[in-house]
Structures are given as C-alpha cells and as structure tokens.
C-alpha cells in the first residue's frame, strides 16, 4: 500500500527536489504554482512565508480536482522569504535589484523564513514555519560585482543561494542550513511522516 502513495511537490525548484532526494523522497509530480508573491501592506516576513506556502498548496489541490488519479496524493508546498528586520528582500530578476539586496546584506545579519505546507489525501492542511539567522561578511565591491556576473542570484530569495558561491559569504548561521537552501529537511520529513507518508520505502532500496 505504501508504494502507491503519491507526493506532489507544488514547486519547480531544483533545490527542493534535490533536498527531498537527499532524504530519499521522490515526488511523483512537480506542479509549480505561479502566484502573486507580493507582500500585503505591513505583512511580516514570517506571515508572508506562512501565507504563500498555503496558497501554493491549495492552488495545486484545486488544479488536480479534475484528475481522479491524483486525488489521493499528498501535496507539499514551500515558500522562502529573506528579510532584514521587517524588510522583505525580493527574488530578483534584475541586476539592480540583486545589487541592492547584496549591499543591504553585506556585513549584517538577516533571517530566512521558510513556510512548509502539507495537504494530506483526506484534505487536512498542516503547516510549519522555520526561521534561520544568517550573518554575511562585509562584501567588497569586487565580491558583489563578481557574484552578480555569476548569475547565481537570479530568482533566489534575497538574491543569493547559500549552496553556491554565496556560501563563502556566510560568517555565521544559527538554525537549519537546509532551510536557507529552500526546504527545511528535518521539519518536512517529520511533517510527512506524522501524516502517514511512508518516508522509509526508498531507504530500503539502497
């Protein structure tokens, strides 16, 4: 019975797929949800991550309603927000946005919030928020210009990916490293296992 369990990941993020694979979990389907991620007026970064992960999960749930073969699936969604104080940093597409974010992060601490949402086959919604504190070194002009040229900032919350070059910017990290990558593994696996998803099947295969 456990082998028939299906997991839909409401994301197209290669990083989240890789993190799940690290835990021996392979989604049966990827369903990126294209939603407006604009923060509401005075919305706290933690609240934004909480809201968006639930909206993505519900959007995926609505999308499969006409597909009976997927109705008994688990749906997993996540959203990562990077903030300095209450200031939410973008997931930039423009070099100017990325440059502003990196200058803001330089030499100071920031927080990374990831909201994780799971909808079970019987329609229960479960959520978790994980908060990690990260401190960057003081970035030189050459650091910023070269990192911008690398393109590794593009589309990433806070204009950086810790699993790439920007990992060398981190002076200190308090909390979950995988949270900063984009999916807190400990909390996600516990959430799935707590709701009856058999996380050990693929472990037995080697």
């Amino acid at each position: 019975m456990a082998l028939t369990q299906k997991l839909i990941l409401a994301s197209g993020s290669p990083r989240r797929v890789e993190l799940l694979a690290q835990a021996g979990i392979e989604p049966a389907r990827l369903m990126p949800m294209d939603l407006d991620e604009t923060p509401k007026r005075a919305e706290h970064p933690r609240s934004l991550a909480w809201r968006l992960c639930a909206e993505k999960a519900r959007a995926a749930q609505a999308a499969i309603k006409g597909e009976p073969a997927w109705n008994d699936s688990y749906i997993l969604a996540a959203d990562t927000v990077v903030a300095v104080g209450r200031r939410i940093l973008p997931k930039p597409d423009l070099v100017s946005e990325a440059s502003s974010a990196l200058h803001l992060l330089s030499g100071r601490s920031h927080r990374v919030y990831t909201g994780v949402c799971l909808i079970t086959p019987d329609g229960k919604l479960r959520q978790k928020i994980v908060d990690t504190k990260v401190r960057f070194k003081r970035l030189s002009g050459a650091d910023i210009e070269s990192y911008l040229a690398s393109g590794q900032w593009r589309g990433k919350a806070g204009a950086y990916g810790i699993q790439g070059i920007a990992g060398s910017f981190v002076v200190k990290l308090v909390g979950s490293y995988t949270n900063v990558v984009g999916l807190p593994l400990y909390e996600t696996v516990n959430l799935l296992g707590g709701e009856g998803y058999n996380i050990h099947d693929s472990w037995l295969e080697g």
Side-chain angles (χ1 to χ4, degrees):
M1 180 183 294
L3 291 174
T4 67
Q5 290 183 318
K6 295 187 289 289
L7 175 66
I8 294 172
L9 179 62
S11 172
S13 166
R15 296 170 297 283
R16 290 186 178 130
V17 173
E18 289 167 4
L19 285 167
L20 286 173
Q22 183 181 327
I25 298 169
E26 182 178 355
R29 183 174 179 180
L30 302 182
M31 293 185 67
M33 294 292 109
D34 187 16
L35 303 179
D36 182 1
E37 299 187 5
T38 305
K40 294 181 178 178
R41 184 177 177 83
E43 189 169 26
H44 191 278
R46 176 184 290 268
S47 301
L48 177 63
W50 182 269
R51 175 173 65 83
L52 288 179
C53 73
E55 288 182 357
K56 290 176 181 180
R58 290 192 183 103
Q61 183 185 37
I64 63 169
K65 276 193 174 176
E67 303 181 46
W70 294 96
N71 286 346
D72 60 347
S73 301
Y74 289 82
I75 300 171
L76 180 68
D79 190 81
T80 300
V81 174
V82 174
V84 176
R86 293 181 63 97
R87 180 172 175 179
I88 297 168
L89 276 63
K91 297 175 182 175
D93 291 315
L94 301 176
V95 172
S96 58
E97 293 176 324
S99 177
S100 294
L102 292 169
H103 277 94
L104 184 62
L105 294 173
S106 175
R108 67 196 305 175
S109 295
H110 61 276
R111 291 192 178 271
V112 180
Y113 303 90
T114 299
V116 181
C117 182
L118 178 69
I119 298 179
T120 66
D122 59 0
K124 288 190 295 183
L125 187 146
R126 297 286 183 264
Q127 283 184 265
K128 184 78 178 177
I129 192 89
V130 181
D131 171 5
T132 301
K133 186 176 181 181
V134 183
R135 183 174 181 82
F136 268 19
K137 72 173 187 175
R138 187 166 299 280
L139 302 175
S140 67
D143 286 333
I144 292 176
E145 288 177 17
S146 297
Y147 188 68
L148 291 173
S150 78
Q152 290 189 12
W153 52 270
R154 199 175 299 278
K156 293 185 175 69
Y160 78 93
I162 196 171
Q163 71 281 8
I165 295 167
S168 66
F169 300 161
V170 176
V171 175
K172 186 176 182 180
L173 184 149
V174 181
S176 167
Y177 172 82
T178 55
N179 178 53
V180 183
V181 179
L183 188 71
L185 267 189
Y186 169 75
E187 291 81 4
T188 300
V189 169
N190 277 2
L191 201 59
L192 284 163
E195 294 301 329
Y197 185 87
N198 193 329
I199 60 173
H200 298 124
D201 276 346
S202 62
W203 296 13
L204 304 176
E205 298 169 6

